[in-house]
Amino acid sequence: MLALLSESGASAQHYIGIKAGYGGAMGRFHLAPSKSGLMLGRYTGGVAWKYYTDKPVVGGVGAELEYQMRGYRLFDGDRYGAPGIISDSTSYYITTRTVSTITLPLVWQPHLYFANRHVRVFLSAGVTLSYNLGLGDRLTVEHHVADQVYDDPQDEKRYHWEQRTTVVSDEPYTMQTARDVRWNYGFVGGFGFGVLAGRWEFFAEGRYYYGMSDILRYNSKYQFHERTILRSELDNLYITMGIYFRLGKGGITAPPLRRGRTVPVGDDDFRNIRLNM
């Protein structure tokens, strides 16, 4: 990445842009009695910068600053903090926590051009650094109770299950230094495409953010957990759309990829020489 940034300004182009998207979040909890699940309805948005050199395919890097809605959802059995079978015919608890985060992705963007260089298809691969704000975070606990309802009081075999939901608690989540981790890091990977119109680029991209650090300190560091936590990474999946503007004048500096053409063989070409063996 540093080698790409060392290119001269005459052979590279800077882009600035904005992006926003929708997706889901989940936690990967290890050695907890709970099961984790995906939370939809998560949003992200931010500003972006990227730098493309005149090197085809590999000459692209970028940095972004995003606000992300992250979090996790845990399923417990009928007794809070205990394992259990989660189904329409069982009672269980759901614990949901939302996490407000500022994330800095640093990405490498290999890319190809199509449609006479009006369409750019790219990959994103890089690392992320995140800071959990603790602003607007909430912790909600719901108790789902399965009731057996008889369709015919005279026939015990004719019945169905109905779920009743009770909100046990729904309150702001207050971060504590002894328990909660503010800084996180991880990896990011994605695939997208952009449509180029002059100096503007309209793009869409799907990304997976893979957490490599904990949101909660594990049991040997924080002794008051209700769960047996060893690891608690957070992941996110987003589909985003946005727009870039290319700074500076001139067109795309990277030369188009072309297949090598076979040169017609003429009478004076040495390839016409045949040796009699």
Side-chain angles (χ1 to χ4, degrees), residues 17-43:
I18 57 175
K19 58 184 295 189
Y22 173 89
M26 68 174 295
R28 287 180 289 111
F29 281 67
H30 296 255
L31 294 185
S34 318
K35 297 180 180 179
S36 60
L38 179 67
M39 301 168 56
L40 294 176
R42 305 296 95 182
Y43 295 93

Side-chain angles (χ1 to χ4, degrees), residues 110-206:
H111 55 280
L112 290 172
Y113 293 99
F114 297 93
N116 198 23
R117 307 174 82 190
H118 289 295
V119 174
R120 174 160 40 208
V121 176
F122 59 87
L123 299 175
S124 294
V127 297
T128 62
L129 178 66
S130 300
Y131 180 77
N132 301 312
L133 298 171
L135 302 175
D137 296 1
R138 297 196 70 83
L139 183 68
T140 303
V141 179
E142 300 175 349
H143 189 199
H144 294 255
V145 179
D147 290 331
Q148 191 176 32
V149 179
Y150 290 94
D151 301 319
D152 184 354
Q154 306 301 322
D155 187 354
E156 295 183 354
K157 295 182 179 180
R158 297 182 61 184
Y159 65 86
H160 66 276
W161 293 96
E162 291 184 358
Q163 285 280 348
R164 290 185 293 109
T165 301
T166 302
V167 178
V168 178
S169 63
D170 182 14
E171 56 191 11
Y173 186 89
T174 302
M175 297 191 71
Q176 300 177 11
T177 303
R179 177 192 59 198
D180 302 291
V181 181
R182 289 276 189 179
W183 292 96
N184 291 151
Y185 58 90
F187 298 112
V188 61
F191 170 81
F193 69 93
V195 177
L196 288 79
R199 293 163 68 180
W200 297 93
E201 179 182 359
F202 304 88
F203 72 92
E205 182 181 11

Side-chain angles (χ1 to χ4, degrees), residues 193-265:
F193 69 93
V195 177
L196 288 79
R199 293 163 68 180
W200 297 93
E201 179 182 359
F202 304 88
F203 72 92
E205 182 181 11
R207 278 189 185 179
Y208 193 88
Y209 293 78
Y210 187 83
M212 291 294 292
S213 59
D214 301 317
I215 188 69
L216 297 171
R217 303 191 192 279
Y218 47 87
N219 288 71
S220 62
K221 290 189 176 182
Y222 182 72
Q223 303 293 328
F224 304 102
H225 281 303
E226 296 176 341
R227 311 171 190 277
T228 306
I229 295 176
L230 178 62
R231 294 170 59 189
S232 56
E233 300 97 340
L234 298 186
D235 296 346
N236 276 89
L237 176 64
Y238 291 119
I239 296 177
T240 60
M241 300 180 68
I243 183 172
Y244 278 106
F245 180 74
R246 186 173 70 241
L247 303 177
K249 298 180 180 180
I252 298 171
T253 58
L257 294 178
R258 300 183 184 277
R259 293 182 178 180
R261 296 182 178 179
T262 302
V263 179
V265 178

Side-chain angles (χ1 to χ4, degrees), residues 4 52-60 108-113 117 252-258:
L4 291 172
Y52 277 9
T53 73
D54 59 353
K55 291 193 169 42
V57 183
V58 298
W108 171 49
Q109 280 197 345
H111 55 280
L112 290 172
Y113 293 99
R117 307 174 82 190
I252 298 171
T253 58
L257 294 178
R258 300 183 184 277

